[in-house]
Amino acid sequence: MKVAVIGQGYVGLPLALAAAEVGYQVVGIDSDPVRVESLNAGRSPIGDISDLYLQGQSIYYKATTDFSEIADADVVVLCLPTPLDSAGEPDHSILLAGATAAAEHVGPGALVINESTVSPGFTRDTLAPLFAGRDVAYSPERIDPANKSWNVKNTPKLVAGISDMACDRAVYFYSKFVTTLTSYSSIEVVETAKLLENSFRLVNISFINEIAEFCSAMEIDIREVIAAAATKPYGFMPFFPSAGVGGHCIPVDPQYLASKAREIGASTRFIDLATKVNLERPSYFVGVASGILGSLTSKKIVVIGVAYKPNVADVRETPAESLISLLRSAGADVVWHDHLVGQWNGEVSAALSVGYDLAVLVNPHDGTDLDALGSIPVIDTRGGI
Ligand SMILES: NC(=O)c1ccc[n+]([C@@H]2O[C@H](COP(=O)([O-])OP(=O)(O)OC[C@H]3O[C@@H](n4cnc5c(N)ncnc54)[C@H](O)[C@@H]3O)[C@@H](O)[C@H]2O)c1
């Protein structure tokens, strides 16, 4: 069976290699020639995929920019970015561009699976017509970068199709390398389930962030509060404070749900409020910094860990960006340190030392040398007082 995976990023590459590992003939298609060259040279652009593992799949896996490779593929999987546009609205344009390019080549008997996160109804109403006459299915990816326990093979996968046949074919395809698969009555159920999962995280993280602000004002240790509440064996799930949610999913996907709700005249007040609380977190910490230093003018501040989560180099939607920008607007002399990110926004990671007036911990990685800060004041956005 030949499989074409369109988009070789955080989602598409692990999927393509897992499929190659079980003997599918896999071609990974990506519009970025530098990425394709790197993949074919056995150099992985993704932290979770080692060069050794990539090189080990070279018999059954190759990368290309050539969409005509799709022509004899039995299965075509779309793993393309679905970000927000400059107005904060869903931007399906990259997915549509890739799907349209794929549709020019896809064979008559191919199964097309969308893994990109989309608004409910998008797969049936917009993608499926591009692939008219083919079986089309939806199966959202749930990958959690840097998670050592859960990966593409052992994370339960949801599947639905525009027909029973499409669903059955998708389940058969995944069953060779995914241990738990569940299928559902409609694509819209699964599209909405994916958005529910990430909206649930946005709402709960924003909630704990607000509680953290309350605890800070009361001089109560929020981490001890969470640990205490988490002893309840049912009905509670711990979430932890931060400078705000980041990454390609948690701040983004709920907007796909909210946008669809607006379109049909339904409300998503929890998502709207959680988004507001989340976006206000960086300015809250500017206030905390002023509380410690007084005027921030010319104060030397280092922001530590600018990736959107610990132990990844991904800075998409990171709250560190807004935090740095707000601190600079307040007159501070701000640098950042992140040994995994290294270079970002035309700047390089600064060394850690005792030569700062203040350090702000956003997402320090394992191995970040916080001892190098000596005894300078530190704001820990993860719940330190
Ligand atoms: N990153 C995650 O943790 C995660 C988790 C679950 C779901 N998702 C969803 O999966 C989808 C893909 O996200 P990702 O994080 O893998 O994105 P990504 O940016 O890491 O990778 C996308 C890849 O697609 C390529 N690409 C862009 N346009 C193309 C085109 N027209 N043709 C071919 N290739 C093209 C890019 O060069 C890039 O390599 C999104 O809908 C996202 O919401 C992401």
Side-chain angles (χ1 to χ4, degrees):
M1 231 202 300
K2 181 172 175 181
V3 179
V5 181
I6 324 273
Q8 292 294 279
Y10 286 95
V11 166
L13 181 61
L15 171 79
L17 296 179
E21 213 181 330
V22 293
Y24 287 123
Q25 192 70 46
V26 181
V27 57
I29 300 178
D30 201 286
S31 55
D32 178 354
V34 176
R35 176 162 291 227
V36 165
E37 192 190 331
S38 164
L39 288 168
N40 287 332
R43 291 189 308 272
S44 168
I46 290 174
D48 285 346
I49 302 286
S50 71
D51 291 352
L52 206 62
Y53 174 62
L54 170 63
Q55 290 156 14
Q57 310 317 318
S58 61
I59 304 171
Y60 292 116
Y61 171 80
K62 71 168 180 182
T64 181
T65 56
D66 183 3
F67 274 75
S68 71
E69 282 277 1
I70 293 171
D72 58 346
D74 303 284
V75 181
V76 177
V77 192
L78 302 168
C79 300
L80 292 162
T82 44
L84 300 177
D85 65 18
S86 55
E89 289 295 315
D91 179 1
H92 290 102
S93 65
I94 304 172
L95 171 60
L96 265 180
T100 305
E104 283 174 29
H105 300 280
V106 68
L111 165 69
V112 179
I113 306 173
N114 177 33
E115 286 219 4
S116 294
T117 307
V118 291
S119 296
F122 187 84
T123 304
R124 185 190 305 278
D125 299 341
T126 307
L127 288 181
L130 295 174
F131 300 100
R134 279 74 169 189
D135 285 331
V136 174
Y138 180 64
S139 181
E141 181 48 64
R142 291 168 149 172
I143 207 157
D144 181 20
N147 190 324
K148 301 284 178 228
S149 306
W150 296 102
N151 54 51
V152 70
K153 296 179 201 168
N154 66 0
T155 305
K157 205 152 177 38
L158 313 179
V159 184
I162 51 165
S163 63
D164 289 347
M165 172 68 88
C167 184
D168 291 349
R169 287 180 70 187
V171 168
Y172 176 80
F173 161 65
Y174 286 120
S175 67
K176 304 297 172 199
F177 57 94
V178 176
T179 43
T180 310
L181 287 154
T182 45
S183 55
Y184 293 86
S185 61
S186 78
I187 286 181
E188 288 74 12
V189 165
V190 179
E191 287 172 329
T192 309
K194 169 70 186 174
L195 299 179
L196 171 63
E197 291 166 14
N198 286 348
S199 301
F200 171 83
R201 283 187 65 74
L202 173 73
V203 168
N204 281 287
I205 293 169
S206 295
F207 176 54
I208 206 69
N209 279 338
E210 192 172 54
I211 298 294
E213 291 176 18
F214 164 81
C215 284
S216 179
M218 293 284 293
E219 298 190 359
I220 296 168
D221 184 341
I222 179 69
R223 286 186 280 209
E224 202 178 348
V225 171
I226 296 167
T231 60
K232 189 176 181 183
Y234 49 86
F236 182 81
M237 180 181 285
F239 288 85
F240 299 95
S242 63
V245 296
H248 187 38
C249 293
I250 310 297
V252 173
D253 298 355
Q255 309 315 322
Y256 278 68
L257 188 55
S259 162
K260 190 69 187 182
R262 279 193 296 278
E263 190 185 312
I264 63 163
S267 77
T268 49
R269 284 170 289 170
F270 281 97
I271 291 174
D272 302 343
L273 181 59
T275 301
K276 183 170 180 295
V277 171
N278 181 49
L279 292 175
E280 286 171 358
R281 278 297 269 175
S283 64
Y284 167 78
F285 286 110
V286 174
V288 176
S290 301
I292 294 171
L293 296 177
S295 164
L296 297 183
T297 304
S298 302
K299 294 287 167 36
K300 293 179 75 175
I301 298 178
V302 59
V303 172
I304 301 173
V306 297
Y308 83 89
K309 66 187 270 190
N311 302 322
V312 302
D314 190 346
V315 289
R316 288 180 292 182
E317 314 293 331
T318 175
E321 184 151 27
S322 155
L323 177 63
I324 290 169
S325 157
L326 290 169
L327 287 169
R328 284 180 177 157
S329 299
D333 177 7
V334 185
V335 296
W336 55 268
H337 170 88
D338 191 311
H339 67 269
L340 293 185
V341 173
Q343 292 193 5
W344 175 52
N345 283 346
E347 299 171 12
V348 292
S349 174
L352 294 181
S353 74
V354 294
Y356 299 100
D357 297 306
L358 178 71
V360 185
L361 309 186
V362 176
N363 285 310
H365 306 298
D366 293 348
T368 300
D369 181 15
L370 298 179
D371 290 344
L373 298 171
S375 56
I376 67 168
V378 173
I379 296 173
D380 188 346
T381 65
R382 303 164 304 170
I385 290 184

Short mmCIF file of all heavy atoms in Angstrom, two decimals, residues 67-112:
data_model
loop_
_atom_site.label_atom_id
_atom_site.label_comp_id
_atom_site.label_asym_id
_atom_site.label_seq_id
_atom_site.Cartn_x
_atom_site.Cartn_y
_atom_site.Cartn_z
N PHE A 67 4.11 16.76 -5.92
CA PHE A 67 2.75 16.27 -5.65
C PHE A 67 2.31 15.16 -6.60
O PHE A 67 1.35 14.45 -6.31
CB PHE A 67 1.74 17.44 -5.72
CG PHE A 67 1.60 18.19 -4.43
CD1 PHE A 67 2.57 19.07 -3.99
CD2 PHE A 67 0.48 18.01 -3.62
CE1 PHE A 67 2.44 19.76 -2.79
CE2 PHE A 67 0.33 18.70 -2.42
CZ PHE A 67 1.31 19.57 -2.00
N SER A 68 3.01 15.00 -7.75
CA SER A 68 2.59 13.95 -8.69
C SER A 68 2.82 12.56 -8.08
O SER A 68 2.27 11.56 -8.56
CB SER A 68 3.31 14.10 -10.03
OG SER A 68 4.67 13.75 -9.89
N GLU A 69 3.61 12.48 -6.99
CA GLU A 69 3.81 11.20 -6.29
C GLU A 69 2.49 10.66 -5.73
O GLU A 69 2.38 9.49 -5.39
CB GLU A 69 4.79 11.40 -5.12
CG GLU A 69 6.24 11.47 -5.53
CD GLU A 69 6.85 10.08 -5.70
OE1 GLU A 69 6.13 9.08 -5.51
OE2 GLU A 69 8.04 10.02 -6.05
N ILE A 70 1.48 11.55 -5.65
CA ILE A 70 0.19 11.14 -5.09
C ILE A 70 -0.58 10.23 -6.05
O ILE A 70 -1.43 9.44 -5.64
CB ILE A 70 -0.66 12.40 -4.79
CG1 ILE A 70 -0.03 13.19 -3.65
CG2 ILE A 70 -2.11 12.07 -4.46
CD1 ILE A 70 -0.66 14.55 -3.43
N ALA A 71 -0.23 10.31 -7.34
CA ALA A 71 -1.06 9.68 -8.38
C ALA A 71 -1.34 8.20 -8.11
O ALA A 71 -2.46 7.73 -8.35
CB ALA A 71 -0.40 9.87 -9.74
N ASP A 72 -0.34 7.46 -7.61
CA ASP A 72 -0.58 6.03 -7.37
C ASP A 72 -0.69 5.70 -5.88
O ASP A 72 -0.53 4.55 -5.47
CB ASP A 72 0.51 5.18 -8.04
CG ASP A 72 1.91 5.54 -7.54
OD1 ASP A 72 2.05 6.60 -6.89
OD2 ASP A 72 2.84 4.76 -7.79
N ALA A 73 -1.00 6.72 -5.07
CA ALA A 73 -1.14 6.47 -3.62
C ALA A 73 -2.52 5.90 -3.32
O ALA A 73 -3.53 6.34 -3.87
CB ALA A 73 -0.94 7.76 -2.84
N ASP A 74 -2.57 4.90 -2.44
CA ASP A 74 -3.84 4.32 -2.01
C ASP A 74 -4.48 5.18 -0.92
O ASP A 74 -5.70 5.23 -0.79
CB ASP A 74 -3.61 2.91 -1.46
CG ASP A 74 -2.95 2.02 -2.48
OD1 ASP A 74 -3.65 1.58 -3.41
OD2 ASP A 74 -1.72 1.82 -2.38
N VAL A 75 -3.61 5.81 -0.11
CA VAL A 75 -4.10 6.65 0.99
C VAL A 75 -3.36 7.99 0.94
O VAL A 75 -2.13 8.02 0.79
CB VAL A 75 -3.84 5.99 2.37
CG1 VAL A 75 -4.36 6.87 3.50
CG2 VAL A 75 -4.47 4.61 2.44
N VAL A 76 -4.11 9.08 1.02
CA VAL A 76 -3.51 10.42 1.06
C VAL A 76 -3.95 11.06 2.37
O VAL A 76 -5.14 11.13 2.67
CB VAL A 76 -4.01 11.27 -0.13
CG1 VAL A 76 -3.45 12.69 -0.05
CG2 VAL A 76 -3.65 10.62 -1.46
N VAL A 77 -2.97 11.51 3.19
CA VAL A 77 -3.31 12.10 4.49
C VAL A 77 -2.87 13.56 4.49
O VAL A 77 -1.72 13.88 4.19
CB VAL A 77 -2.63 11.35 5.65
CG1 VAL A 77 -3.24 11.80 6.98
CG2 VAL A 77 -2.75 9.85 5.50
N LEU A 78 -3.80 14.44 4.86
CA LEU A 78 -3.51 15.88 4.91
C LEU A 78 -3.12 16.28 6.33
O LEU A 78 -3.91 16.11 7.26
CB LEU A 78 -4.75 16.67 4.48
CG LEU A 78 -5.30 16.36 3.08
CD1 LEU A 78 -6.68 17.00 2.91
CD2 LEU A 78 -4.34 16.85 2.00
N CYS A 79 -1.89 16.77 6.50
CA CYS A 79 -1.39 17.19 7.82
C CYS A 79 -0.81 18.60 7.69
O CYS A 79 0.38 18.83 7.87
CB CYS A 79 -0.30 16.24 8.30
SG CYS A 79 -0.84 14.55 8.49
N LEU A 80 -1.67 19.53 7.35
CA LEU A 80 -1.23 20.89 7.03
C LEU A 80 -1.65 21.88 8.11
O LEU A 80 -2.66 21.66 8.79
CB LEU A 80 -1.81 21.30 5.67
CG LEU A 80 -1.22 20.49 4.51
CD1 LEU A 80 -2.10 20.58 3.28
CD2 LEU A 80 0.19 20.95 4.21
N PRO A 81 -0.90 22.98 8.27
CA PRO A 81 -1.21 23.92 9.35
C PRO A 81 -2.57 24.59 9.16
O PRO A 81 -2.96 24.91 8.03
CB PRO A 81 -0.11 24.97 9.24
CG PRO A 81 0.95 24.38 8.38
CD PRO A 81 0.27 23.39 7.50
N THR A 82 -3.25 24.82 10.28
CA THR A 82 -4.51 25.57 10.29
C THR A 82 -4.40 26.64 11.38
O THR A 82 -4.90 26.45 12.49
CB THR A 82 -5.72 24.64 10.53
OG1 THR A 82 -5.40 23.71 11.57
CG2 THR A 82 -6.08 23.87 9.29
N PRO A 83 -3.72 27.75 11.08
CA PRO A 83 -3.48 28.80 12.08
C PRO A 83 -4.65 29.79 12.15
O PRO A 83 -5.74 29.53 11.63
CB PRO A 83 -2.22 29.47 11.55
CG PRO A 83 -2.30 29.31 10.06
CD PRO A 83 -3.07 28.04 9.81
N LEU A 84 -4.39 30.92 12.80
CA LEU A 84 -5.34 32.04 12.80
C LEU A 84 -4.78 33.12 11.89
O LEU A 84 -3.56 33.27 11.76
CB LEU A 84 -5.50 32.59 14.21
CG LEU A 84 -6.03 31.62 15.27
CD1 LEU A 84 -6.08 32.30 16.64
CD2 LEU A 84 -7.41 31.08 14.88
N ASP A 85 -5.66 33.91 11.29
CA ASP A 85 -5.19 35.03 10.48
C ASP A 85 -4.92 36.24 11.38
O ASP A 85 -5.06 36.16 12.61
CB ASP A 85 -6.17 35.35 9.34
CG ASP A 85 -7.52 35.83 9.86
OD1 ASP A 85 -7.62 36.25 11.03
OD2 ASP A 85 -8.50 35.79 9.07
N SER A 86 -4.55 37.37 10.77
CA SER A 86 -4.15 38.52 11.59
C SER A 86 -5.31 39.07 12.42
O SER A 86 -5.10 39.75 13.42
CB SER A 86 -3.56 39.62 10.70
OG SER A 86 -4.50 39.93 9.70
N ALA A 87 -6.55 38.73 12.04
CA ALA A 87 -7.71 39.18 12.83
C ALA A 87 -8.10 38.15 13.89
O ALA A 87 -9.13 38.30 14.56
CB ALA A 87 -8.88 39.44 11.89
N GLY A 88 -7.29 37.07 14.02
CA GLY A 88 -7.60 36.05 15.02
C GLY A 88 -8.69 35.09 14.57
O GLY A 88 -9.25 34.35 15.37
N GLU A 89 -8.97 35.07 13.27
CA GLU A 89 -10.00 34.17 12.73
C GLU A 89 -9.34 32.93 12.10
O GLU A 89 -8.18 32.99 11.68
CB GLU A 89 -10.81 34.91 11.65
CG GLU A 89 -11.73 35.99 12.18
CD GLU A 89 -12.84 35.43 13.06
OE1 GLU A 89 -13.46 34.43 12.68
OE2 GLU A 89 -13.07 36.00 14.14
N PRO A 90 -10.08 31.80 12.03
CA PRO A 90 -9.52 30.59 11.41
C PRO A 90 -9.00 30.86 10.00
O PRO A 90 -9.65 31.56 9.23
CB PRO A 90 -10.72 29.64 11.37
CG PRO A 90 -11.60 30.11 12.47
CD PRO A 90 -11.43 31.59 12.55
N ASP A 91 -7.84 30.30 9.72
CA ASP A 91 -7.24 30.46 8.40
C ASP A 91 -7.04 29.06 7.80
O ASP A 91 -6.06 28.38 8.10
CB ASP A 91 -5.90 31.20 8.53
CG ASP A 91 -5.22 31.37 7.18
OD1 ASP A 91 -5.79 30.94 6.16
OD2 ASP A 91 -4.10 31.93 7.16
N HIS A 92 -8.01 28.66 6.96
CA HIS A 92 -7.94 27.34 6.34
C HIS A 92 -7.14 27.39 5.02
O HIS A 92 -7.10 26.40 4.30
CB HIS A 92 -9.35 26.82 6.00
CG HIS A 92 -10.19 26.46 7.20
ND1 HIS A 92 -11.19 27.27 7.69
CD2 HIS A 92 -10.18 25.36 7.98
CE1 HIS A 92 -11.78 26.67 8.73
NE2 HIS A 92 -11.19 25.52 8.93
N SER A 93 -6.53 28.54 4.70
CA SER A 93 -6.00 28.71 3.34
C SER A 93 -4.82 27.78 3.03
O SER A 93 -4.69 27.30 1.90
CB SER A 93 -5.59 30.18 3.11
OG SER A 93 -4.51 30.52 3.95
N ILE A 94 -3.96 27.51 4.03
CA ILE A 94 -2.80 26.63 3.75
C ILE A 94 -3.31 25.20 3.50
O ILE A 94 -2.87 24.53 2.57
CB ILE A 94 -1.80 26.64 4.94
CG1 ILE A 94 -1.36 28.06 5.24
CG2 ILE A 94 -0.60 25.75 4.62
CD1 ILE A 94 -0.51 28.18 6.51
N LEU A 95 -4.25 24.77 4.33
CA LEU A 95 -4.84 23.44 4.13
C LEU A 95 -5.52 23.35 2.77
O LEU A 95 -5.34 22.37 2.04
CB LEU A 95 -5.86 23.17 5.26
CG LEU A 95 -6.72 21.92 5.11
CD1 LEU A 95 -5.88 20.66 5.05
CD2 LEU A 95 -7.72 21.83 6.28
N LEU A 96 -6.25 24.41 2.41
CA LEU A 96 -6.95 24.39 1.12
C LEU A 96 -5.97 24.35 -0.05
O LEU A 96 -6.20 23.65 -1.04
CB LEU A 96 -7.83 25.64 0.99
CG LEU A 96 -9.28 25.46 1.39
CD1 LEU A 96 -10.04 26.77 1.20
CD2 LEU A 96 -9.94 24.35 0.56
N ALA A 97 -4.86 25.11 0.07
CA ALA A 97 -3.87 25.14 -1.00
C ALA A 97 -3.27 23.74 -1.19
O ALA A 97 -3.14 23.25 -2.32
CB ALA A 97 -2.77 26.15 -0.69
N GLY A 98 -2.92 23.09 -0.07
CA GLY A 98 -2.32 21.75 -0.16
C GLY A 98 -3.33 20.73 -0.67
O GLY A 98 -2.99 19.86 -1.48
N ALA A 99 -4.58 20.84 -0.20
CA ALA A 99 -5.61 19.89 -0.64
C ALA A 99 -5.91 20.08 -2.13
O ALA A 99 -6.10 19.10 -2.86
CB ALA A 99 -6.88 20.10 0.18
N THR A 100 -5.92 21.33 -2.58
CA THR A 100 -6.20 21.59 -3.99
C THR A 100 -5.08 21.02 -4.86
O THR A 100 -5.34 20.40 -5.91
CB THR A 100 -6.35 23.11 -4.23
OG1 THR A 100 -7.35 23.60 -3.34
CG2 THR A 100 -6.73 23.43 -5.66
N ALA A 101 -3.83 21.19 -4.40
CA ALA A 101 -2.69 20.64 -5.16
C ALA A 101 -2.77 19.11 -5.18
O ALA A 101 -2.51 18.47 -6.21
CB ALA A 101 -1.38 21.10 -4.53
N ALA A 102 -3.17 18.51 -4.05
CA ALA A 102 -3.28 17.05 -3.98
C ALA A 102 -4.40 16.55 -4.89
O ALA A 102 -4.26 15.51 -5.57
CB ALA A 102 -3.54 16.62 -2.54
N ALA A 103 -5.51 17.30 -4.92
CA ALA A 103 -6.68 16.87 -5.70
C ALA A 103 -6.37 16.76 -7.19
O ALA A 103 -7.01 15.98 -7.90
CB ALA A 103 -7.84 17.84 -5.46
N GLU A 104 -5.40 17.52 -7.66
CA GLU A 104 -5.04 17.45 -9.09
C GLU A 104 -4.45 16.10 -9.46
O GLU A 104 -4.42 15.73 -10.63
CB GLU A 104 -4.00 18.54 -9.41
CG GLU A 104 -4.59 19.92 -9.53
CD GLU A 104 -3.51 20.97 -9.70
OE1 GLU A 104 -2.43 20.65 -10.26
OE2 GLU A 104 -3.75 22.11 -9.24
N HIS A 105 -3.92 15.38 -8.48
CA HIS A 105 -3.20 14.14 -8.78
C HIS A 105 -3.86 12.89 -8.22
O HIS A 105 -3.52 11.78 -8.64
CB HIS A 105 -1.77 14.24 -8.21
CG HIS A 105 -0.99 15.37 -8.77
ND1 HIS A 105 -0.37 15.32 -10.01
CD2 HIS A 105 -0.74 16.61 -8.29
CE1 HIS A 105 0.24 16.47 -10.25
NE2 HIS A 105 0.03 17.28 -9.23
N VAL A 106 -4.74 13.05 -7.25
CA VAL A 106 -5.23 11.88 -6.52
C VAL A 106 -5.96 10.89 -7.43
O VAL A 106 -6.74 11.28 -8.30
CB VAL A 106 -6.12 12.34 -5.33
CG1 VAL A 106 -7.42 12.96 -5.79
CG2 VAL A 106 -6.37 11.23 -4.35
N GLY A 107 -5.68 9.60 -7.24
CA GLY A 107 -6.28 8.57 -8.08
C GLY A 107 -7.73 8.32 -7.73
O GLY A 107 -8.19 8.69 -6.65
N PRO A 108 -8.49 7.65 -8.64
CA PRO A 108 -9.94 7.48 -8.43
C PRO A 108 -10.29 6.60 -7.24
O PRO A 108 -11.32 6.80 -6.60
CB PRO A 108 -10.42 6.83 -9.75
CG PRO A 108 -9.19 6.32 -10.42
CD PRO A 108 -8.03 7.13 -9.93
N GLY A 109 -9.42 5.65 -6.88
CA GLY A 109 -9.77 4.74 -5.77
C GLY A 109 -9.13 5.11 -4.46
O GLY A 109 -9.18 4.33 -3.50
N ALA A 110 -8.51 6.28 -4.40
CA ALA A 110 -7.75 6.63 -3.18
C ALA A 110 -8.68 6.98 -2.03
O ALA A 110 -9.80 7.46 -2.22
CB ALA A 110 -6.82 7.80 -3.47
N LEU A 111 -8.17 6.73 -0.83
CA LEU A 111 -8.82 7.19 0.40
C LEU A 111 -8.09 8.47 0.83
O LEU A 111 -6.86 8.48 0.93
CB LEU A 111 -8.67 6.13 1.50
CG LEU A 111 -8.96 6.59 2.94
CD1 LEU A 111 -10.44 6.90 3.12
CD2 LEU A 111 -8.50 5.52 3.94
N VAL A 112 -8.84 9.55 1.07
CA VAL A 112 -8.24 10.81 1.52
C VAL A 112 -8.65 11.04 2.97
O VAL A 112 -9.84 11.03 3.29
CB VAL A 112 -8.72 12.00 0.65
CG1 VAL A 112 -8.09 13.31 1.15
CG2 VAL A 112 -8.37 11.76 -0.82
#
